[in-house]
Amino acid sequence: MKTPADTGFAFPDWAYKPESSPGSRQIQLWHFILELLRKEEYQGVIAWQGDYGEFVIKDPDEVARLWGVRKCKPQMNYDKLSRALRYYYNKRILHKTKGKRFTYKFNFNKLVLVNYPFIDVGLAGEVGQRP
């Protein structure tokens, strides 16, 4: 199973933000997914796969449960979580990988532009400060 580090890519520091305290409503779902992907203990639940930025949710019910715990919403289920993920499609932050169940891919270039408009993303994917 390839991780971004195995491919020679490292996610930029801006993609990760310090973990919010449990119950914090300040975290967005895409940040939460990155948190899970970074922790080895959740590799059986969610893991990097395939192309750079692509991940698979191996246990959708558990990911939904963990998201519910973080957001203090005990009624969270995968249907509700997937609806939230679809919200990111229109923003082009995330998209579903066609033909692969529970598989999504981050668009990190879009995330830079949305969250850090002052950062320049070169054609080669290099991230730097705009002059």
Side-chain angles (χ1 to χ4, degrees):
M1 189 75 52
K2 281 188 176 181
T3 67
D6 295 336
T7 62
F9 291 105
F11 291 105
D13 290 339
W14 58 261
Y16 300 109
K17 86 183 198 190
E19 288 186 38
S20 305
S21 59
S24 169
R25 296 182 185 260
Q26 299 298 315
I27 190 167
Q28 292 185 359
L29 178 55
W30 69 272
H31 271 133
F32 176 75
I33 288 171
L34 282 174
E35 280 183 13
L36 293 181
L37 287 165
R38 289 181 79 181
K39 297 179 181 177
E40 281 190 42
E41 68 221 59
Y42 296 113
Q43 295 239 333
V45 176
I46 187 170
W48 294 113
Q49 164 182 301
D51 295 336
Y52 177 69
E54 187 176 80
F55 65 95
V56 62
I57 298 175
K58 296 178 178 182
D59 187 342
D61 293 330
E62 180 62 6
V63 171
R65 187 193 70 76
L66 292 167
W67 179 236
V69 167
R70 173 61 70 88
K71 297 297 279 185
C72 298
K73 295 185 181 234
Q75 300 303 317
M76 181 59 62
N77 59 38
Y78 185 72
D79 285 339
K80 293 175 185 176
L81 183 135
S82 66
R83 195 173 312 128
L85 289 174
R86 286 192 297 273
Y87 170 77
Y88 294 129
Y89 298 177
N90 291 337
K91 292 185 170 281
R92 297 188 177 153
I93 290 172
L94 189 74
H95 67 267
K96 179 90 176 75
T97 302
K98 291 181 182 177
K100 295 182 181 179
R101 194 165 183 185
F102 304 122
T103 305
Y104 302 86
K105 186 172 181 178
F106 281 106
N107 179 359
F108 285 110
N109 288 339
K110 180 66 176 180
L111 284 173
V112 170
L113 296 174
V114 168
N115 292 287
Y116 299 88
F118 57 88
I119 295 178
D120 183 25
V121 180
L123 292 175
E126 296 176 12
V127 177
Q129 297 288 337
R130 286 189 179 154

